[in-house]
Amino acid sequence: MPKNERRQETTPTLLPAGSQPAGQLARRPWRALLPFWWFALNGVSAVLTGVGWWTQVRAPGAQGDVGVLFVHTTRETFLTYLGLAAVVAGAVLNVAAQWVQYRTSAAEISHQEQELADREDRLADRERKIGRQQAELADALRLIARKNEQLEEQMLLSKVVLRPLIGTLISLGGLDPMTLPDDQKSRPAQLYGQALVTMQSGIVEYLGGSVSDVRVIYWAVEGRAPHRLLRAVDKRGERKKPALVMREGDGARGDEAFRALDGQQPRIWHLGEAGAPYAWTKRKMWKAFAALHVSGEEGDVFGMVTIDSPDPEAITEDHVRTAQVIADAFAAVCANYTRFSDYPTG
C-alpha cells in the first residue's frame, strides 16, 4: 500500500461536536485496541494446541528417561503430560480470548448506548429550546394582537366619541350667554344634548365588540348632601318618564352609588352584592352594573354614568377605565354648559 494512503487511514478523525473542545483531535479509546489482543490470544492458543497435539503424537514409543529438576519419568510419559498441558493452556487462552471479545463487545455496546442517550438528551434539549422559542413567539404575537386591539380602541374613541365631544366643547365655548341672540337661546341645550347622546352611544359602541345588549344611562345630581338624589335624564337633558331615581340616605338603596360618586372611583357591582343600587337591582335582567363619575376639575359633581349588562362577566376593569375617559370628556362639556344655567336657553 502506498505511504500516502496508509497515512490517510491512520489519521485520527474529529469527534462529534460537543465531545471535546473544538479543533482537538480524537484519540482511539483503549477498547478499540482489544481486537488485536483477541487475535494474539487466539493465535497463541492455536500454537499451543498444535504443539500439544504434535507432542502427544510423538509421545508413543519415545525411548529414554527425563530428569528435569524434581521430574524423573520416562520420555513417553513426559511428552504425554507436556502435550496435555499445552492443550489445556491453549484452551484457557481461547476462553480468555472469548472473554476479551465479550468484554469488548459489551463495552462497545455500552458506549453506543451512552452516545445514543447523549444524542437523545441533546435532541430533548433542542426540542425544549424550540418549545420555549415557540412560547415566546406566541406571547409576542398575543402582545402584538393586544396592542393592535388597544390601537383600534383608541382610534374608535378618538373618531367616534372624543372628537365630537371636543367639537361640542369648542362650540359651547364660542357662545357668550350675555350676547346670545334670541334665535340662539336653545343652542346651548342642543349642544349639551348632542354631547350627552355622543357620550352614551360612544360607550355602547366601545363595548359593542365584547358586550351585547348594554344599557348606558346618565344620572344628574339634584339637591345637597345628605339628601341628594340621582335622576336619570334623556338625551335632551330632561327627566326620564317614568322617573328613575336613586336617593341618598335611603337605607343603602343608593348609598353605594353616592360613595362611588363622591370618591370619584369607578365601581363595578354584580347581582346579589350588598349595597348595589336599588334602581338597578329591581330589574333582574341586569347582572353587572358599572358606575362612572362625571366630575369637573374644580371638584364639581355633575352626575353619574351607569353601564348595565345581562352578562355578569361582560364589564371588566379595562372597560370601566376606558369608559371613564369618555365620562371625563363629557364632564368638561357639563362644566362649560353650567355657564348658561343662570340664563334662559329657550
Side-chain angles (χ1 to χ4, degrees):
M1 181 180 294
K3 294 183 178 179
N4 292 337
E5 296 181 3
R6 185 176 305 166
R7 184 180 298 110
Q8 291 176 358
E9 288 183 355
T10 58
T11 300
T13 57
L14 291 176
L15 285 177
S19 299
Q20 289 184 354
Q24 182 176 348
L25 296 180
R27 297 181 179 179
R28 301 184 65 186
W30 62 271
R31 57 178 173 274
L33 301 176
L34 288 182
F36 296 101
W37 287 100
W38 181 82
F39 284 115
L41 290 175
N42 274 284
V44 174
S45 174
V47 170
L48 289 175
T49 303
V51 170
W53 174 80
W54 179 81
T55 303
Q56 288 185 340
V57 169
R58 293 293 303 273
Q63 302 297 323
D65 297 328
V66 175
V68 179
L69 298 178
F70 56 88
V71 178
H72 301 281
T73 183
T74 62
R75 181 176 295 179
E76 180 180 358
T77 301
F78 178 78
L79 291 177
T80 299
Y81 282 104
L82 181 63
L84 182 60
V87 171
V88 172
V92 171
L93 288 177
N94 184 265
V95 171
Q98 301 303 322
W99 181 82
V100 169
Q101 184 182 22
Y102 167 76
R103 292 288 297 176
T104 302
S105 301
E108 189 66 25
I109 292 174
S110 177
H111 176 68
Q112 292 177 356
E113 290 178 347
Q114 184 62 39
E115 287 184 346
L116 181 60
D118 294 340
R119 187 177 302 173
E120 290 178 349
D121 290 340
R122 290 194 296 269
L123 181 59
D125 291 339
R126 186 175 302 175
E127 290 178 350
R128 286 192 291 268
K129 183 177 179 181
I130 293 175
R132 289 194 298 269
Q133 292 176 348
Q134 290 177 345
E136 292 175 356
L137 179 59
D139 293 339
L141 291 176
R142 284 193 293 269
L143 181 60
I144 292 174
R146 178 58 180 166
K147 289 183 177 180
N148 289 335
E149 292 177 358
Q150 293 176 350
L151 181 60
E152 292 177 358
E153 291 176 359
Q154 293 174 358
M155 293 177 62
L156 178 63
L157 291 176
S158 175
K159 181 178 180 180
V160 179
V161 185
L162 298 182
R163 287 183 182 179
L165 287 177
I166 293 174
T168 303
L169 184 61
I170 294 174
S171 299
L172 281 172
L175 298 178
D176 186 356
M178 297 292 294
T179 61
L180 195 63
D182 292 339
D183 58 350
Q184 295 290 325
K185 295 295 185 181
S186 62
R187 182 61 177 163
Q190 293 175 358
L191 292 174
Y192 174 78
Q194 292 176 6
L196 178 60
V197 173
T198 300
M199 180 270 297
Q200 291 175 312
S201 61
I203 294 177
V204 171
E205 188 168 353
Y206 163 67
L207 296 176
S210 56
V211 180
S212 60
D213 191 18
V214 296
R215 181 183 69 167
V216 178
I217 299 177
Y218 174 61
W219 308 71
V221 176
E222 297 181 6
R224 295 184 178 181
H227 302 293
R228 295 172 296 177
L229 60 84
L230 289 168
R231 187 186 303 275
V233 298
D234 59 15
K235 63 182 181 180
R236 293 170 298 185
E238 299 176 356
R239 299 178 179 179
K240 282 184 175 292
K241 298 179 181 180
L244 295 178
V245 177
M246 285 186 283
R247 301 182 183 277
E248 184 179 20
D250 59 354
R253 289 155 62 103
D255 287 349
E256 281 297 317
F258 281 97
R259 290 192 185 97
L261 184 63
D262 294 337
Q264 297 186 359
Q265 293 294 330
R267 286 285 305 274
I268 299 178
W269 289 275
H270 295 89
L271 186 64
E273 286 188 19
Y278 173 74
W280 165 67
T281 56
K282 70 179 181 180
R283 297 193 62 181
K284 300 302 182 182
M285 65 173 293
W286 308 112
K287 304 296 189 299
F289 174 91
L292 315 172
H293 63 90
V294 180
S295 305
E297 295 182 355
E298 298 180 358
D300 298 328
V301 179
F302 304 108
M304 183 174 67
V305 177
T306 60
I307 307 172
D308 302 325
S309 173
D311 184 357
E313 304 297 331
I315 304 176
T316 65
E317 295 290 343
D318 291 336
H319 292 148
V320 171
R321 281 193 293 268
T322 305
Q324 184 62 60
V325 175
I326 301 175
D328 292 341
F330 178 68
V333 175
C334 293
N336 204 311
Y337 180 65
T338 55
R339 297 186 300 116
F340 301 89
S341 59
D342 295 333
Y343 300 89
T345 56

